[in-house]
Amino acid sequence: MSDSTPPSTMRAWTFNSPGAPRNVLSLNPVYPVPPPPTGTNLLIRISHASLNPNGYTLSRTSSIVFRRTTIPEIDFSGRVQLAGPAAPSIFAPGTPVFGTLDPFESALRTGAGTLAEYVVASPEQVTVKPANLSFAEAAGLGASGQTALKMFQQAGIKSGHRVLVNGASGGIGTLVVQAAKARGAEVVATSSGLNAEMVKGLGADQIRAPMTFQVVDYRANAPLHVYLAKEYSQQPFDVILDTIGIQALFVNSPAYLKPEGLHVNVGAYEGHLRTLLLWSMNVWLPKLLGGIPRKYIMFSTPPNKERLELLAKMVEEGKLKGVVDGPFEMEDALNAYDRLWSKRAKGKLVVKIGDL
């Protein structure tokens, strides 16, 4: 077997029934390696994978609907092991890459995810890893990074804008704070006191200090919307970027969001079904019938090659860095999931798959 020829089997976390990760996931040491790639596709040997609540939820749907063995997760970093005959030359074997699988294709069509030693991806789903980005950091950038960029772009944040980032210590929040800082916005970031120091390192500083970036301990200042109304009614925000999905933050936003301001939400803290119902109400309910007089948007973020390349460029220019919680060893992936569902992660939860 040559250096580029993969083995016939690999380690992979799999499941074939619904349930919490700790109850249904198992580590299979002899799962079949995907066949050699065809066309423009790439076989990636995975270094690290990151965990996503939505990625696991979709994978669980696959196991229920199609009753098949499924590998969870969509984000990864690694090296090109084999390239299809029509693959772009930039992705020669050995090239370090990172990327994100299409969540619906992975979960609903193939059942092939990234919590395994090998995965097949298309050139549209990967980009070359910058030299100043570790494999662990790169694994956490794909889905969260693209969501953060889309939030930033949808909000139209400009230099001098006052921006509230709710959930600044999470996988998306850490990136949104950095992007807003790079644009020259004035940022107020919410976090628990335990994560405040980490958030400050992203560009936030102590509350009330005469600095552009401030951090608010949402636990010490609960309920948060009452605190925001008291402290920021005279200097309301241009944009609220909610990475958690707290309905009360929007309902009470007229007290601290400008009339022409924008509330952007990508979180589903209150449950996916309830969040969809609230989205419909927040967008369509007329003000005369009790609707909130502020603009509200929520969206999904399908993987996008241009955003992936922009993330790599921002890293190369020193405008963005990945924030890693872990990495956890592959054998400890269940502990990583426990931390994910505890909602206490600092940055992106990453699992080390192997040494490259």
Side-chain angles (χ1 to χ4, degrees):
M1 184 171 67
S2 68
D3 290 342
S4 61
T5 303
S8 59
T9 62
M10 63 179 180
R11 295 184 302 159
W13 281 97
T14 64
F15 65 104
N16 51 28
S17 62
R22 181 165 287 280
N23 296 334
V24 301
L25 278 173
S26 61
L27 182 57
N28 187 336
V30 290
Y31 196 83
V33 169
T38 59
T40 62
N41 285 341
L42 310 167
L43 179 66
I44 309 297
R45 183 182 177 188
I46 296 178
S47 169
H48 292 76
S50 66
L51 308 186
N52 296 285
N54 290 337
Y56 181 81
T57 299
L58 280 172
S59 297
R60 183 173 58 184
T61 301
S62 171
S63 72
I64 297 172
V65 175
F66 298 101
R67 298 183 181 278
R68 65 181 173 204
T69 300
T70 300
I71 302 172
E73 300 311 331
I74 57 174
D75 284 337
F76 63 92
S77 64
R79 292 187 184 275
V80 177
Q81 184 77 17
L82 294 173
S89 59
I90 192 174
F91 295 123
T95 302
V97 295
F98 74 100
T100 303
L101 302 179
D102 182 295
F104 293 97
E105 179 182 13
S106 172
L108 303 181
R109 191 175 72 83
T110 67
T114 61
L115 210 57
E117 292 180 312
Y118 293 89
V119 73
V120 172
S122 78
E124 295 303 308
Q125 297 169 336
V126 302
T127 194
V128 176
K129 182 184 76 66
N132 61 339
L133 186 70
S134 72
F135 280 109
E137 293 168 336
L141 275 186
S144 291
Q146 293 187 61
T147 299
L149 282 181
K150 190 171 180 179
M151 288 185 83
F152 187 79
Q153 293 163 348
Q154 290 279 326
I157 294 173
K158 301 176 182 178
S159 177
H161 271 178
R162 292 179 56 78
V163 179
L164 173 67
V165 179
N166 187 41
S169 62
I172 297 173
T174 54
L175 301 173
V176 168
V177 168
Q178 294 177 72
K181 174 188 174 184
R183 183 56 62 90
E186 298 182 16
V187 177
V188 174
T190 73
S191 166
S192 69
L194 294 175
N195 294 339
E197 289 301 321
M198 183 269 287
V199 174
K200 292 173 191 175
L202 302 173
D205 212 319
Q206 294 281 0
I207 188 69
R208 299 182 187 279
M211 301 291 288
T212 303
F213 302 95
Q214 302 173 338
V215 79
V216 172
D217 184 338
Y218 69 88
R219 291 176 179 169
N221 295 290
L224 180 61
H225 64 271
V226 173
Y227 175 84
L228 293 173
K230 177 182 177 182
E231 295 293 328
Y232 297 100
S233 61
Q234 299 304 310
Q235 292 183 305
F237 299 102
D238 296 280
V239 177
I240 295 174
L241 301 178
D242 188 1
T243 72
I244 306 298
I246 305 298
Q247 176 67 1
L249 194 63
F250 175 66
V251 169
N252 295 281
S253 64
Y256 41 81
L257 179 63
K258 292 179 180 179
E260 69 279 12
L262 176 64
H263 185 112
V264 184
N265 175 49
V266 296
Y269 180 82
E270 301 183 23
H272 286 85
L273 180 58
R274 176 171 167 77
T275 297
L276 287 174
L277 292 173
L278 291 173
W279 164 78
S280 178
M281 181 179 70
N282 293 343
V283 171
W284 299 110
L285 186 63
K287 298 179 183 63
L288 291 176
L289 297 179
I292 307 304
R294 295 295 183 273
K295 186 175 181 180
Y296 179 99
I297 62 173
M298 189 175 75
F299 51 80
S300 60
T301 310
N304 176 287
K305 178 76 169 183
E306 292 181 359
R307 281 194 293 268
L308 199 60
E309 291 180 339
L310 179 56
L311 285 170
K313 181 181 178 182
M314 292 179 71
V315 169
E316 289 177 331
E317 295 175 347
K319 296 178 180 178
L320 198 68
K321 65 178 181 179
V323 180
V324 173
D325 193 332
F328 291 74
E329 294 297 324
M330 189 174 187
E331 294 79 5
D332 295 329
L334 295 181
N335 292 332
Y337 273 113
D338 288 344
R339 186 162 176 80
L340 176 70
W341 297 115
S342 75
K343 297 179 171 50
R344 295 193 179 99
K346 296 181 180 181
K348 197 67 178 175
L349 279 158
V350 173
V351 176
K352 180 182 177 182
I353 305 298
D355 292 309
L356 301 188

